[in-house]
Amino acid sequence: AAYSVIPQMGAEMAPALVKVFETGDAEDRVRALSMLGKTESPQSIGTLTAGLADENYRVRGTAALGLGRLEHKEALPGLLKLLEDPNHTCRTWAAMALGRLKDDKATDALIGALGDSHYSVRTVAADALIQIGTPTVKSLKAVWNEDNSVLRSRAIETLARVAKSDLRKEIEKGLTDTEALVRASACRAAQFAGIKELAQPL
């Protein structure tokens, strides 16, 4: 109940929350960062950034979500590093935060995450690229030389959602891919792009 009223009190609560982060256990740190992520103040940003390197994965992930919610552009390097975290939840939340930042400097890292071993990371990375939008098109088109079929699959669907035009060449290539997963994604991409006739032969 006490935590629930903190956002209404604003930045004046930041020093107390920072103290909780510095002295509390993992659960305390998660709650403190969750509140700091809703509080605009220099102390909030500094503590959230420190949280990205915490030993507890939930703390790291909560820090990422807070920085994304505040759309703090300076957090980009830390979030990109978290996108390579051993824990898939951290990678997912890092991708989510990067989508909120809408910074095209994250494009290549997010495209790499389309081939992640965990489904949630791939899904959220695709959503993040869609949020960034047009600046990702060139890099998504360059994925066709990658050996990772999962990456190619996610890339063609994401590209169709971002560009929605001038994709006939890419979709035609996807429809003849050696991997069924990529061909299926190319069918969906044809639907997203409004050129369903390409998939009819299949």
Side-chain angles (χ1 to χ4, degrees), residues 29-174:
R29 297 198 301 278
V30 167
R31 292 189 181 192
L33 291 182
S34 180
M35 295 300 103
L36 286 169
K38 302 172 185 176
T39 307
E40 294 270 4
S41 82
Q43 282 183 300
S44 296
I45 299 300
T47 305
L48 286 163
T49 301
L52 292 175
D54 195 271
E55 62 184 7
N56 184 281
Y57 82 91
R58 289 181 60 231
V59 178
R60 298 195 300 275
T62 302
L65 292 178
L67 289 165
R69 190 180 295 117
L70 294 175
E71 298 182 7
H72 185 60
K73 297 288 187 182
E74 286 72 18
L76 182 65
L79 292 172
L80 290 174
K81 184 176 180 181
L82 195 66
L83 196 59
E84 301 175 354
D85 195 274
N87 184 278
H88 70 81
T89 300
C90 287
R91 300 197 301 276
T92 299
W93 289 350
M96 191 178 298
L98 289 167
R100 293 289 296 270
L101 294 187
K102 297 182 178 67
D103 191 327
D104 61 4
K105 295 184 183 70
T107 296
D108 290 343
L110 287 168
I111 288 176
L114 293 178
D116 193 274
S117 60
H118 199 276
Y119 177 80
S120 67
V121 181
R122 299 195 298 269
T123 300
V124 176
D127 290 341
L129 288 162
I130 291 167
Q131 287 179 276
I132 295 171
T134 304
T136 68
V137 170
K138 183 177 180 181
S139 295
L140 282 167
K141 285 185 175 182
V143 167
W144 296 115
N145 294 324
E146 297 288 340
D147 292 333
N148 187 329
S149 61
V150 174
L151 176 56
R152 296 199 305 277
S153 168
R154 297 300 303 190
I156 186 62
E157 287 193 49
T158 305
L159 180 59
R161 290 181 178 273
V162 173
K164 295 184 179 179
S165 63
D166 191 28
L167 298 178
R168 183 173 290 268
K169 177 181 176 182
E170 286 76 16
I171 292 173
E172 286 177 340
K173 187 170 183 179

